[in-house]
Amino acid sequence: MNGKLARRSSLFLLELMISILLFSLASAWCIRLFVTARSINRENEELSRMQNLASGYAEMFLASGDFETFLEDEGGKKMESDAVLYQFWYDRDWKICGEEDAAVSFEAVITRDGDFEKCSFHYRGEDREDLIYLLDVEKYAKGEVSS
């Protein structure tokens, strides 16, 4: 009788160990999914923030007669070549910062072609190479005073 009871308890312990192993594997898999979902959510929040900022700047460009002054007042760094380029840098909390602390760079490139004024908004990542988001806007500017 004692032998039968020992076999049952060892079988019970084996079943218990297998159950604990399966629950451990399932919980590790769930934790991995939660971490992945969190990173995807953060990327989507950043992309949404970029889209909102770019569309806000685009609306200001379309409505404003003096968009360049607005960009300078916002803290943009102006560079000129064949087009006018304004640069902004944002940190991880989406606050404007210096280039050395930046997580994302934003560029507004303004070109004039006859009666049309075009503005292209670019967001780039930390390495400044990959383009994350691009928005091109064009308006008819004949008769407007441009700076």
Side-chain angles (χ1 to χ4, degrees):
M1 182 141 177
N2 245 351
K4 192 173 183 182
L5 188 59
R7 270 187 265 136
R8 274 192 185 167
S9 66
S10 65
L11 185 59
F12 174 73
L13 288 175
L14 183 62
E15 288 177 11
L16 186 61
M17 288 186 337
I18 290 173
S19 298
I20 290 172
L21 175 69
L22 290 177
F23 282 117
S24 300
L25 291 174
S27 65
W29 184 69
C30 287
I31 290 172
R32 182 174 167 253
L33 285 178
F34 286 133
V35 169
T36 303
R38 170 88 172 121
S39 77
I40 289 171
N41 185 37
R42 183 165 175 89
E43 288 173 9
N44 287 337
E45 283 176 1
E46 288 177 357
L47 184 58
S48 178
R49 178 78 58 117
M50 288 177 209
Q51 290 172 338
N52 288 337
L53 285 171
S55 65
Y57 282 122
E59 290 296 325
M60 287 299 296
F61 169 73
L62 293 172
S64 173
D66 196 8
F67 185 61
E68 291 184 39
T69 303
F70 169 74
L71 290 175
E72 288 173 4
D73 291 344
E74 286 286 306
K77 181 179 172 187
K78 183 177 182 178
M79 295 181 223
E80 291 196 44
S81 56
D82 55 339
V84 179
L85 169 72
Y86 287 89
Q87 285 188 309
F88 296 89
W89 294 277
Y90 292 96
D91 63 9
R92 292 244 176 246
D93 296 324
W94 289 96
K95 294 183 177 34
I96 291 179
C97 66
E99 185 175 3
E100 60 280 347
D101 300 326
V104 175
S105 71
F106 169 72
E107 299 170 353
V109 182
I110 302 170
T111 56
R112 290 172 182 83
D113 184 20
D115 293 337
F116 290 92
E117 195 172 26
K118 301 174 186 174
C119 191
S120 181
F121 302 100
H122 306 111
Y123 279 98
R124 298 184 188 279
E126 288 182 64
D127 57 5
R128 311 288 191 272
E129 294 298 322
D130 59 333
L131 186 63
I132 299 173
Y133 185 73
L134 169 68
L135 178 64
D136 291 322
V137 182
E138 183 175 354
K139 72 176 179 178
Y140 184 70
K142 186 172 182 160
E144 282 189 13
V145 178
S146 57
S147 53

